[in-house]
Amino acid sequence: MLDDPDVSVVLRGGIQTRSQAWDFVHWFADTWTDCPLRPEDGYTEGELAAAEADLGFELPAALREGLRLFGRRDDLIRQQDPLVQSTGLYVDDALNGVLVFRRENQDCAYWGIQLDDTEQEDPPVVVESREGWIPFLDRMSLAWVELVLSESLFGTDSLYDACELPDALVPSLHARYARVDLPDHPMWASKDDSPVRWYAAPGRLIRRDGIEDQSWIHARARTPADLEAIRAELPGPWVY
């Protein structure tokens, strides 16, 4: 992995394998947080085995490996719409059963894996939106990367801001920031907020929710100077 703090560079070519997803999370923790991943950041084999015993089936490899690697790193996975604890994994009765692993902070939406797909090593993920359960991303390894990026936006270190981006500023977004190589995915809130797309520059990360005029963008920076640069380059009505 590169030392360059540019998410778009590190994810160039996309995530093709589970190991690439784990490499990215290691890089992101090293480069964008104050603490690299440590052995104690994941659940133990005993804890995961207990969760599987309660569920009555084995977890898909991509879900289990992520939980084992960084399932306790709240700064990466539990800021806004958190990953559930290993003891909180459960099956929703919808769609012949959905293994739920993440929830919106006010329980307005949930992310999960259909039980029919749990025997796959890297199964597709669905999200419950106002339109019901819909496809989210076609591999759990991609959902892990999206989870880390989204949850890391909303840290408590004053390096986050948001605004409604007018269409007049979209050319500046495209000129100054590269698209991150993650597939388009839906925002749970409504179809008007979709698709979600990611953009980055060195030390700067932006999520754009939807492609309508005045769509919301969420910005995360590595330093206060990087955040001021985002605000200057995209002079919208920033919230903070």
Side-chain angles (χ1 to χ4, degrees):
M1 280 286 176
L2 301 173
D3 292 330
D4 187 341
D6 189 333
V7 170
S8 68
V9 173
V10 176
L11 286 180
R12 187 171 294 155
I15 296 293
Q16 307 301 326
T17 65
R18 302 198 308 275
S19 63
Q20 286 180 312
W22 313 146
D23 287 345
F24 173 77
V25 177
H26 272 288
W27 171 84
F28 193 84
D30 286 345
T31 309
W32 280 73
T33 79
D34 295 329
C35 183
L37 290 185
R38 305 158 299 180
E40 60 267 31
D41 288 340
Y43 290 106
T44 66
E45 286 295 327
E47 289 170 320
L48 295 176
E52 290 173 329
D54 288 341
L55 290 167
F57 56 86
E58 293 184 0
L59 297 173
L63 177 58
R64 197 179 203 281
E65 290 167 5
L67 291 168
R68 186 73 179 88
L69 182 62
F70 56 97
R72 295 186 183 279
R73 273 295 292 267
D74 289 355
D75 61 324
L76 295 177
I77 56 176
R78 294 190 183 94
Q79 297 285 348
Q80 177 77 8
D81 301 325
L83 185 83
V84 303
Q85 303 286 344
S86 65
T87 54
L89 295 167
Y90 71 95
V91 174
D92 186 280
D93 291 337
L95 302 179
N96 295 319
V98 177
L99 172 62
V100 175
F101 63 82
R102 182 185 179 191
R103 65 176 185 84
E104 192 270 338
N105 68 89
Q106 296 181 338
D107 292 323
C108 294
Y110 302 88
W111 289 256
I113 299 167
Q114 290 184 253
L115 289 191
D116 291 345
D117 296 327
T118 54
E119 293 186 0
Q120 298 181 39
E121 290 190 344
D122 200 357
V125 170
V126 292
V127 62
E128 185 184 31
S129 73
R130 292 173 182 172
E131 289 79 36
W133 287 95
I134 60 174
F136 182 63
L137 286 165
D138 63 8
R139 284 180 285 124
M140 182 68 218
S141 53
L142 290 170
W144 275 120
V145 172
E146 186 280 332
L147 171 65
V148 167
L149 292 179
S150 281
E151 294 305 289
S152 297
L153 286 174
F154 304 105
T156 58
D157 51 10
S158 301
L159 295 173
Y160 163 79
D161 207 343
C163 76
E164 290 183 285
L165 189 74
D167 275 356
L169 291 179
V170 172
S172 294
L173 173 67
H174 292 164
R176 296 174 181 273
Y177 295 83
R179 274 288 301 272
V180 175
D181 205 348
L182 281 177
D184 288 358
H185 46 281
M187 178 66 183
W188 63 266
S190 75
K191 290 180 179 178
D192 292 338
D193 296 323
S194 297
V196 174
R197 293 174 177 171
W198 292 86
Y199 300 82
R204 286 162 268 172
L205 180 65
I206 289 175
R207 190 184 82 189
R208 186 182 183 198
D209 296 349
I211 56 176
E212 301 294 324
D213 188 26
Q214 303 292 332
S215 60
W216 277 93
I217 61 170
H218 301 271
R220 171 74 158 83
R222 287 184 74 235
T223 69
D226 288 323
L227 186 57
E228 287 306 314
I230 295 173
R231 291 168 174 153
E233 291 166 353
L234 301 171
W238 292 96
V239 174
Y240 301 110

